[in-house]
Amino acid sequence: MFRTAARRLLGAGFTTSRLLRLPKPRPTTIIPYSYCTSSTESPIGNQSVNPNQSDTAREEGHRRDESSRKPRAEFEEEQARVLAASLRHVPRLGWTEEAMIAGSRDVGVSPSIVGSFSRKEAALVEYFMDDCLQLLIDRVDSGLDLQNLIPSERVSKLVSIRLEMQIPYMSKWPQALSIQAHPVNVPTSFKQRAMLVDEIWHTVGDGASDLDWYVKRTVLGGVYSTTEIYMLTDDSPEYRDTWAFLDDRVKDAFDLKKSIQEAKYFAQDIGAGVGKSFQGLMNGVMQTMSTRGGRSSAF
Amino acid sequence: MALRLLSRRTLGSRILSYRASLHSHATSFGFQQVKEEEKSKLVGNVFTNVASSYDIMNDVMSAGLHRLWKERLVGKLSPFAGMKHLDVAGGTGDVAFRIFDAVNSVKRRALRKVDEASLEETQIYVCDINPNMLNVGKQRAADRGLRDNKSLVWVEGDAEALSFDDNSMDGYTIAFGIRNVTHIEKALAEAYRVLKRGGRFLCLELSHVDIPVFKELYDLYSFQVIPNLGELIAGDRDSYQYLVESVRRFPPQERFAKMIGDAGFEKVEYENLVGGVVAIHSAIKL
C-alpha cells in the first residue's frame, strides 16, 4: 500500500529502503521529549533539531535536514545492527532476549540496550519480517523473470521465494508465529503481512483499487499463512510438498475468483430472466386492468 | 541543626540578607536559597536524621506505591546475568535488591538458558554519599542472607564525582536521589562517563503534576500531610518539609529530559506515573 502510493507520488526513482522502518506503535504512557516530534525513537543530542517535522514526511522517505537526521539515525542504526547480529543466534537460542543479548555482544554494545527495545522479542521478529520483505523487493527489482508465467504461477513463485527466506529459522519459526500472535504485537504483524501481500500482488501486475483489492489481498493472505503453517511440519526433501501445497492453493484461489465471477453472471442472468417474466406479467395485468377499466367507464 | 536557623517565619529577611552575600553560586535547598557548599551538608544532615525510618516513611507517604514504582523502574531496566550495574543514591538498597532478585530468581533461571558463569559476574554497586543510609542497606542485606554475597557491593561516594572507571557500567539507576544533588549536570555527566556504550540511564524521581484538580490535591497532601507525618513517625518535621519543597524545585519533566540530552544521552524518554507525581526518565549512551 505504501509502495504503490509512494510510486504514484514520487515516480519510478523512489527507493523503498527507508519505508520499511515502520513507525513503532506509540505506548500510551510514554511521553517523548518534545524535541522529537514524530517518533519515540528520536534521540536528543543535537541542538539544531528541526521542530517542524510532520508525519507525512516520514512516509516519503525521511528526507530531512542533515543535522536532524544524524542523531536519530544513530540510535536506529545501532538498533538495526544489534538485531541483525542477533538473527545469527536465533537458530540456537530462539527468538528471545538471550539471542538479542548475544547479538549486542557481537556488535560491541552493552546488552543493556536490549532493555530499551519496545516489546523485545517482537522487535526481533518484526525486524526479520521487514528484512525479508526488503530482500523480496530487491530480488524483484534486480530482474526476476516473471514474463513467461501466468499470474497464478507468478504468485506461487513470489510466495515461495519469500517462504524460502524462513528456512534457516524453521526450527524456531513456531515461536516467531506465537510472538506475532500476541495481542500487543498483532497490529504490527498484521501490517507487515498486509504490506507483504500488497507487494506480491503489485509485482504480479494487479492495479485494481476497488472492492476487489481487499478480496485479493485477503485471499492471498490466507494462502500465504496456510502455506507457512504447512511448511512448519513438512520434512520432505527441499520442501517439495510445501510447494505442491502452495500451487494447489493458488490454483484454488484463482478458480475461486473464476467461480465467483461465474456465480455473479449466473445471478445476473437469473435476475434478468425473472425480471423479464415479472415485467411481462405486470404488463399483462396493467393491460387487462386498463381495458376493463375502459369498458366499465363506459357505463 | 542548620535547618532550624533558616525557619520559614523569618525567611523573608533571611533571604534578603542572603541575597546580598550570594553571587552566582547559589542553589536551592527546598524553597530556601543556600550557598552551594552548604547544600550537601544540609542534605547530609537530612538523610542522617531520616536513615533509620526512611523505609517506613516511604511506605506511609506513598501508601506503599513506591514499591510499585521501583518494580517498574527495574522492569524497564531489564537486568541480565553478568551485568555491571550502578545504583546511585540507593542507600537502603531497594532498587539494588530488586535488580539482584530479577537476575537471580529461580523462575528466571528455569525459563531461560542462563550461563551460570555469567551469573557469577553480576555486580551491583550501591553508591551513596551518606554512610548511615549505606549501613541501613547493609543491614537489610544481612537480614536477607546476602551479607557475604559478592554481587552486591556497597560503596560510599558522591554522585557528582564517582570513583568508577569510564565505560564500566551496563546500567545506572538513581531513584529519588537526583533532586538532592547540588549540581544535577555534573551527576548526569558522571553517569554518562561511567556507562558503557549501549548502557542505560534510568532515573526515578518525584516530578511535576499538571492535571488540574489532582494538582491541588497533591499540593495539599504534600504540604499539609507529609510534614505532619514526618513529625509523627520520624520525629523530624523539617526534613520532610525539605523533601516536599525540593520536589517542587526540581526541574519539570521536559526540562530534565533536555538536561539529560545535553549530557550526551540518546533516546531520552520519560514516563509519568500517577499523573506526574513520579516520572521515570530513561536514556541510552551511544
PDB file of all heavy atoms in Angstrom, chain A residues 1-23:
ATOM      1  N   MET A   1       0.853  -1.195   0.000  1.00  0.00           N
ATOM      2  CA  MET A   1       0.000   0.000   0.000  1.00  0.00           C
ATOM      3  C   MET A   1       0.878   1.230   0.000  1.00  0.00           C
ATOM      4  O   MET A   1       0.682   2.155  -0.766  1.00  0.00           O
ATOM      5  CB  MET A   1      -0.863   0.028   1.258  1.00  0.00           C
ATOM      6  CG  MET A   1      -1.700  -1.212   1.387  1.00  0.00           C
ATOM      7  SD  MET A   1      -2.391  -1.391   3.034  1.00  0.00           S
ATOM      8  CE  MET A   1      -1.040  -2.048   3.942  1.00  0.00           C
ATOM      9  N   PHE A   2       1.912   1.209   0.846  1.00  0.00           N
ATOM     10  CA  PHE A   2       2.770   2.381   0.883  1.00  0.00           C
ATOM     11  C   PHE A   2       3.574   2.483  -0.389  1.00  0.00           C
ATOM     12  O   PHE A   2       3.803   3.557  -0.898  1.00  0.00           O
ATOM     13  CB  PHE A   2       3.736   2.289   2.075  1.00  0.00           C
ATOM     14  CG  PHE A   2       3.022   2.353   3.398  1.00  0.00           C
ATOM     15  CD1 PHE A   2       3.605   1.834   4.527  1.00  0.00           C
ATOM     16  CD2 PHE A   2       1.769   2.913   3.512  1.00  0.00           C
ATOM     17  CE1 PHE A   2       2.961   1.884   5.744  1.00  0.00           C
ATOM     18  CE2 PHE A   2       1.121   2.966   4.717  1.00  0.00           C
ATOM     19  CZ  PHE A   2       1.720   2.447   5.845  1.00  0.00           C
ATOM     20  N   ARG A   3       3.990   1.295  -0.867  1.00  0.00           N
ATOM     21  CA  ARG A   3       4.838   1.323  -2.045  1.00  0.00           C
ATOM     22  C   ARG A   3       4.069   1.837  -3.242  1.00  0.00           C
ATOM     23  O   ARG A   3       4.538   2.684  -3.987  1.00  0.00           O
ATOM     24  CB  ARG A   3       5.359  -0.081  -2.312  1.00  0.00           C
ATOM     25  CG  ARG A   3       6.351  -0.158  -3.440  1.00  0.00           C
ATOM     26  CD  ARG A   3       7.253  -1.340  -3.205  1.00  0.00           C
ATOM     27  NE  ARG A   3       7.498  -2.099  -4.413  1.00  0.00           N
ATOM     28  CZ  ARG A   3       8.611  -2.012  -5.097  1.00  0.00           C
ATOM     29  NH1 ARG A   3       9.541  -1.200  -4.731  1.00  0.00           N
ATOM     30  NH2 ARG A   3       8.786  -2.757  -6.164  1.00  0.00           N
ATOM     31  N   THR A   4       2.839   1.362  -3.432  1.00  0.00           N
ATOM     32  CA  THR A   4       2.096   1.816  -4.604  1.00  0.00           C
ATOM     33  C   THR A   4       1.747   3.283  -4.479  1.00  0.00           C
ATOM     34  O   THR A   4       1.840   4.039  -5.433  1.00  0.00           O
ATOM     35  CB  THR A   4       0.803   1.006  -4.792  1.00  0.00           C
ATOM     36  OG1 THR A   4       0.111   0.974  -3.543  1.00  0.00           O
ATOM     37  CG2 THR A   4       1.108  -0.406  -5.210  1.00  0.00           C
ATOM     38  N   ALA A   5       1.379   3.699  -3.258  1.00  0.00           N
ATOM     39  CA  ALA A   5       1.043   5.114  -3.078  1.00  0.00           C
ATOM     40  C   ALA A   5       2.265   5.974  -3.325  1.00  0.00           C
ATOM     41  O   ALA A   5       2.210   6.995  -3.997  1.00  0.00           O
ATOM     42  CB  ALA A   5       0.517   5.342  -1.669  1.00  0.00           C
ATOM     43  N   ALA A   6       3.391   5.527  -2.782  1.00  0.00           N
ATOM     44  CA  ALA A   6       4.610   6.310  -2.920  1.00  0.00           C
ATOM     45  C   ALA A   6       5.042   6.373  -4.378  1.00  0.00           C
ATOM     46  O   ALA A   6       5.486   7.401  -4.868  1.00  0.00           O
ATOM     47  CB  ALA A   6       5.709   5.704  -2.067  1.00  0.00           C
ATOM     48  N   ARG A   7       4.905   5.271  -5.084  1.00  0.00           N
ATOM     49  CA  ARG A   7       5.247   5.261  -6.504  1.00  0.00           C
ATOM     50  C   ARG A   7       4.461   6.307  -7.239  1.00  0.00           C
ATOM     51  O   ARG A   7       4.963   7.057  -8.053  1.00  0.00           O
ATOM     52  CB  ARG A   7       4.928   3.890  -7.107  1.00  0.00           C
ATOM     53  CG  ARG A   7       6.054   2.902  -7.053  1.00  0.00           C
ATOM     54  CD  ARG A   7       6.676   2.711  -8.433  1.00  0.00           C
ATOM     55  NE  ARG A   7       7.906   1.925  -8.306  1.00  0.00           N
ATOM     56  CZ  ARG A   7       7.938   0.614  -8.355  1.00  0.00           C
ATOM     57  NH1 ARG A   7       6.824  -0.070  -8.524  1.00  0.00           N
ATOM     58  NH2 ARG A   7       9.074  -0.028  -8.219  1.00  0.00           N
ATOM     59  N   ARG A   8       3.155   6.336  -6.944  1.00  0.00           N
ATOM     60  CA  ARG A   8       2.305   7.294  -7.647  1.00  0.00           C
ATOM     61  C   ARG A   8       2.744   8.712  -7.358  1.00  0.00           C
ATOM     62  O   ARG A   8       2.714   9.578  -8.211  1.00  0.00           O
ATOM     63  CB  ARG A   8       0.844   7.104  -7.232  1.00  0.00           C
ATOM     64  CG  ARG A   8       0.089   6.203  -8.174  1.00  0.00           C
ATOM     65  CD  ARG A   8      -1.379   6.133  -7.838  1.00  0.00           C
ATOM     66  NE  ARG A   8      -1.697   4.844  -7.257  1.00  0.00           N
ATOM     67  CZ  ARG A   8      -2.340   4.678  -6.110  1.00  0.00           C
ATOM     68  NH1 ARG A   8      -2.709   5.710  -5.400  1.00  0.00           N
ATOM     69  NH2 ARG A   8      -2.601   3.483  -5.644  1.00  0.00           N
ATOM     70  N   LEU A   9       3.155   8.958  -6.097  1.00  0.00           N
ATOM     71  CA  LEU A   9       3.503  10.313  -5.720  1.00  0.00           C
ATOM     72  C   LEU A   9       4.851  10.731  -6.279  1.00  0.00           C
ATOM     73  O   LEU A   9       5.034  11.853  -6.699  1.00  0.00           O
ATOM     74  CB  LEU A   9       3.572  10.441  -4.200  1.00  0.00           C
ATOM     75  CG  LEU A   9       2.244  10.471  -3.455  1.00  0.00           C
ATOM     76  CD1 LEU A   9       2.498  10.397  -1.978  1.00  0.00           C
ATOM     77  CD2 LEU A   9       1.482  11.733  -3.792  1.00  0.00           C
ATOM     78  N   LEU A  10       5.791   9.811  -6.236  1.00  0.00           N
ATOM     79  CA  LEU A  10       7.159  10.238  -6.481  1.00  0.00           C
ATOM     80  C   LEU A  10       7.786   9.645  -7.732  1.00  0.00           C
ATOM     81  O   LEU A  10       8.926   9.931  -8.025  1.00  0.00           O
ATOM     82  CB  LEU A  10       8.041   9.873  -5.277  1.00  0.00           C
ATOM     83  CG  LEU A  10       7.593  10.540  -3.986  1.00  0.00           C
ATOM     84  CD1 LEU A  10       8.282   9.891  -2.806  1.00  0.00           C
ATOM     85  CD2 LEU A  10       7.944  12.015  -4.011  1.00  0.00           C
ATOM     86  N   GLY A  11       7.065   8.778  -8.428  1.00  0.00           N
ATOM     87  CA  GLY A  11       7.647   8.283  -9.665  1.00  0.00           C
ATOM     88  C   GLY A  11       8.584   7.113  -9.459  1.00  0.00           C
ATOM     89  O   GLY A  11       8.799   6.638  -8.359  1.00  0.00           O
ATOM     90  N   ALA A  12       9.184   6.668 -10.530  1.00  0.00           N
ATOM     91  CA  ALA A  12       9.905   5.406 -10.505  1.00  0.00           C
ATOM     92  C   ALA A  12      11.231   5.475  -9.767  1.00  0.00           C
ATOM     93  O   ALA A  12      11.796   4.464  -9.414  1.00  0.00           O
ATOM     94  CB  ALA A  12      10.136   4.942 -11.940  1.00  0.00           C
ATOM     95  N   GLY A  13      11.742   6.675  -9.545  1.00  0.00           N
ATOM     96  CA  GLY A  13      13.074   6.739  -8.936  1.00  0.00           C
ATOM     97  C   GLY A  13      13.050   6.529  -7.433  1.00  0.00           C
ATOM     98  O   GLY A  13      14.033   6.691  -6.739  1.00  0.00           O
ATOM     99  N   PHE A  14      11.939   6.191  -6.931  1.00  0.00           N
ATOM    100  CA  PHE A  14      11.765   6.108  -5.481  1.00  0.00           C
ATOM    101  C   PHE A  14      12.418   4.853  -4.919  1.00  0.00           C
ATOM    102  O   PHE A  14      12.264   3.771  -5.437  1.00  0.00           O
ATOM    103  CB  PHE A  14      10.261   6.099  -5.215  1.00  0.00           C
ATOM    104  CG  PHE A  14       9.923   6.029  -3.778  1.00  0.00           C
ATOM    105  CD1 PHE A  14      10.078   7.117  -2.960  1.00  0.00           C
ATOM    106  CD2 PHE A  14       9.463   4.855  -3.233  1.00  0.00           C
ATOM    107  CE1 PHE A  14       9.762   7.060  -1.638  1.00  0.00           C
ATOM    108  CE2 PHE A  14       9.141   4.788  -1.900  1.00  0.00           C
ATOM    109  CZ  PHE A  14       9.288   5.888  -1.100  1.00  0.00           C
ATOM    110  N   THR A  15      13.131   5.012  -3.850  1.00  0.00           N
ATOM    111  CA  THR A  15      13.720   3.821  -3.222  1.00  0.00           C
ATOM    112  C   THR A  15      12.911   3.461  -1.991  1.00  0.00           C
ATOM    113  O   THR A  15      12.476   4.320  -1.243  1.00  0.00           O
ATOM    114  CB  THR A  15      15.168   4.066  -2.800  1.00  0.00           C
ATOM    115  OG1 THR A  15      15.170   5.188  -1.925  1.00  0.00           O
ATOM    116  CG2 THR A  15      16.034   4.355  -3.984  1.00  0.00           C
ATOM    117  N   THR A  16      12.754   2.209  -1.795  1.00  0.00           N
ATOM    118  CA  THR A  16      11.867   1.770  -0.722  1.00  0.00           C
ATOM    119  C   THR A  16      12.592   1.441   0.572  1.00  0.00           C
ATOM    120  O   THR A  16      12.005   1.045   1.531  1.00  0.00           O
ATOM    121  CB  THR A  16      11.113   0.514  -1.156  1.00  0.00           C
ATOM    122  OG1 THR A  16      12.077  -0.454  -1.548  1.00  0.00           O
ATOM    123  CG2 THR A  16      10.211   0.841  -2.305  1.00  0.00           C
ATOM    124  N   SER A  17      13.898   1.611   0.560  1.00  0.00           N
ATOM    125  CA  SER A  17      14.634   1.086   1.719  1.00  0.00           C
ATOM    126  C   SER A  17      14.219   1.734   3.030  1.00  0.00           C
ATOM    127  O   SER A  17      14.136   1.077   4.031  1.00  0.00           O
ATOM    128  CB  SER A  17      16.127   1.269   1.507  1.00  0.00           C
ATOM    129  OG  SER A  17      16.376   2.632   1.250  1.00  0.00           O
ATOM    130  N   ARG A  18      13.908   3.031   3.017  1.00  0.00           N
ATOM    131  CA  ARG A  18      13.589   3.665   4.279  1.00  0.00           C
ATOM    132  C   ARG A  18      12.142   3.427   4.705  1.00  0.00           C
ATOM    133  O   ARG A  18      11.796   3.542   5.842  1.00  0.00           O
ATOM    134  CB  ARG A  18      13.818   5.178   4.182  1.00  0.00           C
ATOM    135  CG  ARG A  18      15.265   5.538   4.103  1.00  0.00           C
ATOM    136  CD  ARG A  18      16.031   5.042   5.287  1.00  0.00           C
ATOM    137  NE  ARG A  18      16.548   6.130   6.064  1.00  0.00           N
ATOM    138  CZ  ARG A  18      16.926   6.031   7.347  1.00  0.00           C
ATOM    139  NH1 ARG A  18      16.813   4.913   7.965  1.00  0.00           N
ATOM    140  NH2 ARG A  18      17.404   7.059   7.982  1.00  0.00           N
ATOM    141  N   LEU A  19      11.296   3.098   3.720  1.00  0.00           N
ATOM    142  CA  LEU A  19       9.878   2.932   4.026  1.00  0.00           C
ATOM    143  C   LEU A  19       9.626   1.860   5.057  1.00  0.00           C
ATOM    144  O   LEU A  19       8.701   1.918   5.821  1.00  0.00           O
ATOM    145  CB  LEU A  19       9.147   2.492   2.759  1.00  0.00           C
ATOM    146  CG  LEU A  19       8.349   3.527   2.017  1.00  0.00           C
ATOM    147  CD1 LEU A  19       7.540   2.821   0.968  1.00  0.00           C
ATOM    148  CD2 LEU A  19       7.433   4.299   2.940  1.00  0.00           C
ATOM    149  N   LEU A  20      10.471   0.835   5.011  1.00  0.00           N
ATOM    150  CA  LEU A  20      10.128  -0.339   5.783  1.00  0.00           C
ATOM    151  C   LEU A  20      10.503  -0.234   7.240  1.00  0.00           C
ATOM    152  O   LEU A  20      10.305  -1.150   7.995  1.00  0.00           O
ATOM    153  CB  LEU A  20      10.786  -1.574   5.164  1.00  0.00           C
ATOM    154  CG  LEU A  20      10.263  -1.825   3.776  1.00  0.00           C
ATOM    155  CD1 LEU A  20      10.936  -3.021   3.174  1.00  0.00           C
ATOM    156  CD2 LEU A  20       8.772  -2.068   3.818  1.00  0.00           C
ATOM    157  N   ARG A  21      11.086   0.891   7.648  1.00  0.00           N
ATOM    158  CA  ARG A  21      11.275   1.072   9.072  1.00  0.00           C
ATOM    159  C   ARG A  21       9.929   1.569   9.561  1.00  0.00           C
ATOM    160  O   ARG A  21       9.666   2.751   9.592  1.00  0.00           O
ATOM    161  CB  ARG A  21      12.363   2.112   9.340  1.00  0.00           C
ATOM    162  CG  ARG A  21      13.700   1.676   8.850  1.00  0.00           C
ATOM    163  CD  ARG A  21      14.256   0.516   9.669  1.00  0.00           C
ATOM    164  NE  ARG A  21      14.989  -0.404   8.839  1.00  0.00           N
ATOM    165  CZ  ARG A  21      14.765  -1.709   8.783  1.00  0.00           C
ATOM    166  NH1 ARG A  21      13.837  -2.257   9.498  1.00  0.00           N
ATOM    167  NH2 ARG A  21      15.493  -2.476   8.018  1.00  0.00           N
ATOM    168  N   LEU A  22       9.075   0.647   9.908  1.00  0.00           N
ATOM    169  CA  LEU A  22       7.719   1.028  10.283  1.00  0.00           C
ATOM    170  C   LEU A  22       7.755   1.838  11.568  1.00  0.00           C
ATOM    171  O   LEU A  22       8.498   1.501  12.469  1.00  0.00           O
ATOM    172  CB  LEU A  22       6.872  -0.217  10.520  1.00  0.00           C
ATOM    173  CG  LEU A  22       6.628  -1.071   9.296  1.00  0.00           C
ATOM    174  CD1 LEU A  22       5.977  -2.360   9.707  1.00  0.00           C
ATOM    175  CD2 LEU A  22       5.729  -0.318   8.313  1.00  0.00           C
ATOM    176  N   PRO A  23       6.898   2.860  11.661  1.00  0.00           N
ATOM    177  CA  PRO A  23       6.851   3.581  12.929  1.00  0.00           C
ATOM    178  C   PRO A  23       6.327   2.637  14.013  1.00  0.00           C
ATOM    179  O   PRO A  23       5.321   1.987  13.819  1.00  0.00           O
ATOM    180  CB  PRO A  23       5.869   4.720  12.673  1.00  0.00           C
ATOM    181  CG  PRO A  23       5.213   4.423  11.402  1.00  0.00           C
ATOM    182  CD  PRO A  23       6.004   3.396  10.673  1.00  0.00           C
TER     183      PRO A  23
END
